[in-house]
Amino acid sequence: MMKKGLLILLLIAVGICYLLYDSEKYVFEKIADNVYVIHGPLDEPNAKNRGFMNNPGLIVGKNGAIIIDPGSAYGVGKNVMIAAEKITNKPIVAVFNTHVHGDHWLGNQAIVERYPAVKIYAHPNMIEQAKSSEGERWIALMSKLTEGASDGTIASYPTDTTTHLQIIKAGGEAFRMHHDITGVAHTNTDLMIEHIKTKTLFMGDNGLVHRHGRFDETSDMHGNIAVLQYATDLNLTYYVPGHGPTGNATTTVKPFLHYLQIVQDEVKKGYEQDLTDYEIKPIADKKLTAYHDWHGYESNMGKHIGKMFGEIESLDE
Ligand SMILES: [Zn+2]
């Protein structure tokens, strides 16, 4: 009996150490006055990171705190909240979700559990798609990729829809909504959030740095190019990408914009010379050497060429 008791105690101790170790990796870095970002891992979701891979944001207002994209799972959202409590003891009064991909919003659950009256804002398409099937699909996908480490996550949907250029006030802070700029970009559910006072733009996955992602069937690469040009023209001070380091327009918006423009130029040239996407790939690869060290380049670049080829082909019809 004694031995069994000791074993249980040991297991509990190991469990606590694991949780503490895990939450220590969640650190909000100050990027502007009262604005903080946790720059999440660039890896794909796996058992070790428990699905955590995005850049949650925190804004501390006079009357409350605001979270942007609280992560990919219940446990991740909890760790984001623990990290926020190290910065402020103000209640979380609002959350913004940038798009329907589950790595950005499934962490809502932890916030809602603690603050049931919290307002969660998103693009109307995001709420519709999350409720119809994307929420369940992402929960299953996260569970598979993390080998069950994200289990216990349920979909906590946004409560309030946004419109383009709407000003939303929360916690004494003002935010301007940017969406439907081209209709479709990273997805057809994208919302970019501007914190007006500090001139900070949370771009969601329209902005990526040092990491490539998928352009799925609901995306539009031409639209993503237009959105990044739009973001640059807003002439703001700080840009927070969905994945990768925060910076200014030159360091954080332009690299991915240039990548997409090179892909567009090379595919267009190849298409006009009757090359196949397969033949264009090695030519484009040589022009994209600056991006070879971005996470996911190998697995995504060929698919990006194929997607751009399809878009250029359909524009030509
Ligand atoms: Zn995404």
Side-chain angles (χ1 to χ4, degrees), residues 109-130:
Q109 181 187 357
I111 317 257
V112 173
E113 183 183 72
R114 178 78 161 271
Y115 302 101
V118 69
K119 275 180 178 277
I120 305 181
Y121 296 95
H123 189 295
N125 291 352
M126 184 281 179
I127 302 178
E128 198 187 306
Q129 289 179 25

Side-chain angles (χ1 to χ4, degrees), residues 99 101 103-104 186-187 205 243:
H99 64 295
H101 291 160
D103 54 318
H104 294 260
H186 177 64
T187 66
D205 287 354
H243 306 271

Side-chain angles (χ1 to χ4, degrees), residues 28 33-34 50 56 114 119 123 149 190 196 247 284 304:
F28 272 112
D33 273 351
N34 297 316
R50 303 209 276 159
R114 178 78 161 271
K119 275 180 178 277
H123 189 295
D190 301 338
I196 296 174
H304 292 171

